Amino acid sequence: MEFLFSVFGIVSVVFIFLILLFIARYKRCPSNKILVVYGKVGGSESAKCIHGGGAFILPIIQEYEFLDLKPIPIDIDLKGALSKQNIRINTPSTFTVGISTAEGIMLNAAERLLGLSQDEIETQATDIIIGQLRLVIATLSIEEINKDREQFLQLINKHVASELNKVGLELINVNIKDITDESGYIEAIGKKAAAEAINKAKVEVADQDASGATGEARAMREKDVNVAKELAQNEEGVKEAEARKRVAIANFETEASLGEAKAGREREVQIALENARATEGRKEADTEQRIKVATLEAEAISGENHSKAKEALSNAELAERMAEAQQRSEVARAHAMKEILEAEKISEQIRLEKEEVVRNEIEKKKTTIDAEAKAQQLINIARGEADSTLLKYQAEAKGMQELLNAKANGYKEIIEACGGDSKAASTLLLLEQLDTLVSRQTEALANLKIDKITVWDSGSNGNANGQNATSSFIRNYISALPPIHDLAKQVGIDLPDYLGSMNVDGEIELPEAEEIKETNDPETKTSRTPPRKRAIPKKALK
């Protein structure tokens, strides 16, 4: 029993230990983080990324870390970025980035950002954003950037997001705060657009004012015409009513008179029938009746004529008022058109003046920019030429120095070969250049065209020095060559004896040829006279 209790206790302890180990090694991933499990994760992947949920971390062979998904705002104060027109612009902006939760991009973040602080991640993202932002600006002109901001942002999202995805980041938001340039080109474009908008608004205001003035004049004219019409119709109605009243009165009076006359005539007839003596009275009544009828008819006709006269007068007054109303309307319209034309003239002058000012400003800016560009180009060209000239002279100086060092080493070896005798070394160097010296001496007569030389020699013993004409001519001819003794003396060397030597008087002494004389000595038929030196005056060599 004790053994069973011991085994049960051990098994219970192991079971509890495994439960505690499982609880300790099972890691849950919050929604704002990515759980990165690295170590032996299976397959060819270097890590396993989990967003949401959890995973059991195997002891010893696996480990884990979290990547924070908190957005990272990055302020980019980009200055001096070159646009497509080679104009430098400034685009201060704010980019919001964060670690992506996409499958492939999460693995990039685990491989490249795991263990880095937020400042280090922000530094990497800043370098990528600045590079891609400069690339996007270089592909667009200032007009495209300024007018179509949506396209500008799309290009930024396209280029920047693709590069950020390579390191496991994604672009959340882009906020371009402002776009300016050092030359003021964007400001000039804005002023031009503002001026055009102001001028357009002024033209529209003037149009509306003109339309309002025209409508007001039209309404006033219609008002006057309608009032005149109503007054004329009112007057016409009054006159018509008065005329009908008078006609009705006249008709009633006529009917009454006719009735009275008829009653009187019947009464007179009855009286005449009854009393013959009433004939004279009846005739007088008949006469009076006729007179009264004529008078009533004349009065009726006069009333009708008076009514027609008043009606004609009323029509004339109505026509006169309508003419006056139309005249006032035409005058008001002419004044309104005049004011409208003057307002349009002033507006057009202001617009032309502002366009001319803006055009002059733009031309001034363009001239300044072109002049600065040309000046910078000339400076760069001059700087490049100066650098190339300096490098050329430095190379020549270095080559000359190497040449002189080589000559010095050669001269040093020659002197060492001569046992330290500098005079012997100089003689060797002169002998090497003897052909050149002799060729230079012979150039003095090289250009003389001498076909042949004829010497007439009488065969006498010659002059006081014992020289005949032929030998004197040859010696004088040779002495006409430039001497090399002075040159040898200047360099500190001695020429061989067969070239002569300089005496104390500065004259060249040439050796005489050996003379062979016939003798009577039977043993020696000929004898040699030792050579003698003859001095050549220095004046003759010059």
Side-chain angles (χ1 to χ4, degrees):
M1 290 295 292
E2 292 180 357
F3 178 75
L4 293 176
F5 280 117
S6 299
V7 172
F8 180 74
I10 293 172
V11 171
S12 298
V13 170
V14 171
F15 182 73
I16 293 171
F17 175 76
L18 291 176
I19 292 175
L20 294 175
L21 178 65
F22 181 80
I23 293 172
R25 297 300 293 178
Y26 186 81
K27 300 299 177 181
R28 295 179 299 274
C29 179
S31 61
N32 63 340
K33 292 183 180 180
I34 295 175
L35 175 62
V36 180
V37 180
Y38 57 90
K40 187 175 181 59
V41 295
S44 61
E45 295 183 351
S46 59
K48 181 170 67 174
C49 298
I50 301 170
H51 178 232
F56 182 76
I57 311 300
L58 297 176
I60 301 173
I61 63 174
Q62 288 183 349
E63 194 54 68
Y64 73 95
E65 283 190 26
F66 288 101
L67 288 175
D68 197 352
L69 297 179
K70 182 175 64 177
I72 304 173
I74 302 173
D75 292 328
I76 304 296
D77 189 13
L78 182 60
K79 293 183 179 180
L82 277 176
S83 65
K84 188 177 181 180
Q85 300 163 317
N86 291 329
I87 297 176
R88 296 189 179 275
I89 64 174
N90 306 322
T91 55
S93 55
T94 300
F95 286 75
T96 304
V97 300
I99 296 175
S100 177
T101 57
E103 288 296 329
I105 304 177
M106 276 198 301
L107 184 60
N108 293 338
E111 292 176 349
R112 293 177 174 85
L113 302 180
L114 190 65
L116 297 181
S117 64
Q118 183 173 344
D119 293 336
E120 293 173 338
I121 295 174
E122 183 176 343
T123 301
Q124 288 189 10
T126 301
D127 294 338
I128 294 172
I129 291 170
I130 289 176
Q132 294 302 313
L133 189 57
R134 288 183 180 274
L135 177 63
V136 172
I137 292 173
T139 60
L140 297 175
S141 63
I142 291 180
E143 287 79 4
E144 294 173 344
I145 296 173
N146 197 34
K147 289 182 180 179
D148 196 351
R149 294 291 181 91
E150 184 176 357
Q151 181 187 2
F152 182 44
L153 291 176
Q154 289 178 356
L155 290 175
I156 291 175
N157 286 324
K158 178 181 177 182
H159 289 80
V160 175
S162 62
E163 293 299 319
L164 290 176
N165 291 340
K166 295 178 181 178
V167 295
L169 297 174
E170 66 177 356
L171 185 62
I172 300 174
N173 184 39
V174 179
N175 181 19
I176 303 297
K177 298 178 180 179
D178 193 10
I179 298 175
T180 59
D181 66 310
E182 299 175 356
S183 61
Y185 184 61
I186 296 177
E187 183 179 359
I189 294 175
K191 289 181 179 179
K192 179 182 177 182
E196 290 177 353
I198 291 171
N199 292 332
K200 184 178 180 180
K202 288 183 177 179
V203 171
E204 291 178 354
V205 170
D207 291 339
Q208 293 299 322
D209 290 339
S211 178
T214 304
E216 184 179 2
R218 187 183 298 110
M220 292 297 294
R221 183 185 63 192
E222 292 177 355
K223 175 185 174 183
D224 293 339
V225 171
N226 291 331
V227 169
K229 286 182 179 180
E230 292 296 331
L231 291 174
Q233 290 177 0
N234 187 21
E235 188 71 23
E236 182 179 358
V238 172
K239 295 299 182 182
E240 187 177 358
E242 289 179 355
R244 284 199 299 268
K245 178 181 178 182
R246 290 177 182 177
V247 171
I249 292 171
N251 291 331
F252 288 143
E253 290 178 354
T254 303
E255 289 178 358
S257 298
L258 290 174
E260 291 177 358
K262 184 178 181 181
R265 186 174 60 249
E266 289 178 355
R267 187 177 63 249
E268 290 175 358
V269 169
Q270 291 177 359
I271 293 170
L273 291 173
E274 294 176 356
N275 194 356
R277 294 180 294 176
T279 304
E280 185 178 359
R282 188 178 56 252
K283 289 182 179 179
E284 290 178 0
D286 190 24
T287 303
E288 290 178 1
Q289 181 183 356
R290 290 179 180 177
I291 292 171
K292 287 180 179 182
V293 171
T295 302
L296 290 174
E297 289 180 357
E299 288 178 359
I301 293 170
S302 176
E304 291 178 359
N305 292 334
H306 183 70
S307 176
K308 289 182 180 180
K310 286 184 178 182
E311 183 180 359
L313 180 60
S314 176
N315 291 333
E317 290 177 356
L318 177 61
E320 184 178 356
R321 289 182 181 179
M322 290 180 65
E324 290 178 357
Q326 185 175 4
Q327 182 179 4
R328 288 197 299 271
S329 175
E330 293 294 334
V331 171
R333 184 170 63 182
H335 284 296
M337 289 299 295
K338 180 180 179 182
E339 292 177 357
I340 291 169
L341 292 176
E342 289 179 354
E344 289 180 352
K345 179 180 178 182
I346 293 172
S347 175
E348 186 67 19
Q349 288 178 351
I350 293 173
R351 185 182 67 80
L352 293 176
E353 289 176 358
K354 289 187 176 180
E355 287 183 355
E356 186 66 24
V357 170
V358 172
R359 190 181 299 110
N360 292 334
E361 288 293 332
I362 293 173
E363 290 295 331
K364 181 179 178 182
K365 291 290 184 181
K366 288 176 65 179
T367 304
T368 304
I369 293 171
D370 293 340
E372 291 177 354
K374 289 182 180 179
Q376 187 64 36
Q377 183 180 6
L378 293 176
I379 291 172
N380 294 334
I381 293 173
R383 187 177 298 163
E385 292 180 352
D387 293 341
S388 63
T389 304
L390 178 61
L391 293 174
K392 176 183 176 183
Y393 286 145
Q394 288 178 351
E396 291 180 353
K398 187 175 180 180
M400 185 62 69
Q401 184 178 3
E402 295 293 333
L403 178 62
L404 294 176
N405 290 334
K407 286 186 177 182
N409 293 331
Y411 293 156
K412 183 178 179 181
E413 291 177 358
I414 292 173
I415 292 173
E416 290 177 355
C418 295
D421 188 357
S422 60
K423 186 175 181 181
S426 301
T427 304
L428 289 175
L429 293 174
L430 182 62
L431 289 176
E432 289 181 358
Q433 300 296 328
L434 185 61
D435 294 339
T436 303
L437 293 174
V438 173
S439 64
R440 293 295 184 184
Q441 286 181 331
T442 55
E443 285 178 0
L445 298 177
N447 295 326
L448 296 178
K449 294 182 179 180
I450 302 174
D451 295 334
K452 63 181 179 176
I453 299 174
T454 304
V455 181
W456 298 92
D457 191 356
S458 60
S460 60
N461 292 329
N463 53 18
N465 295 326
Q467 298 174 352
N468 56 20
T470 301
S471 61
S472 297
F473 174 76
I474 296 301
R475 290 181 181 275
N476 291 334
Y477 182 75
I478 295 174
S479 65
L481 299 175
I484 62 174
H485 291 277
D486 289 339
L487 178 61
K489 184 178 181 181
Q490 289 176 1
V491 298
I493 60 176
D494 294 333
L495 297 175
D497 292 337
Y498 62 83
L499 294 177
S501 62
M502 298 288 292
N503 58 17
V504 295
D505 295 331
E507 296 177 347
I508 298 176
E509 294 181 351
L510 297 175
E512 292 287 346
E514 294 182 355
E515 294 183 0
I516 301 175
K517 293 184 179 180
E518 296 288 338
T519 59
N520 296 323
D521 189 359
E523 295 179 358
T524 304
K525 294 186 178 181
T526 60
S527 64
R528 295 180 177 271
T529 303
R532 294 176 301 170
K533 292 185 178 181
R534 183 176 63 86
I536 300 175
K538 191 174 183 180
K539 185 187 299 184
L541 298 175
K542 293 182 179 180

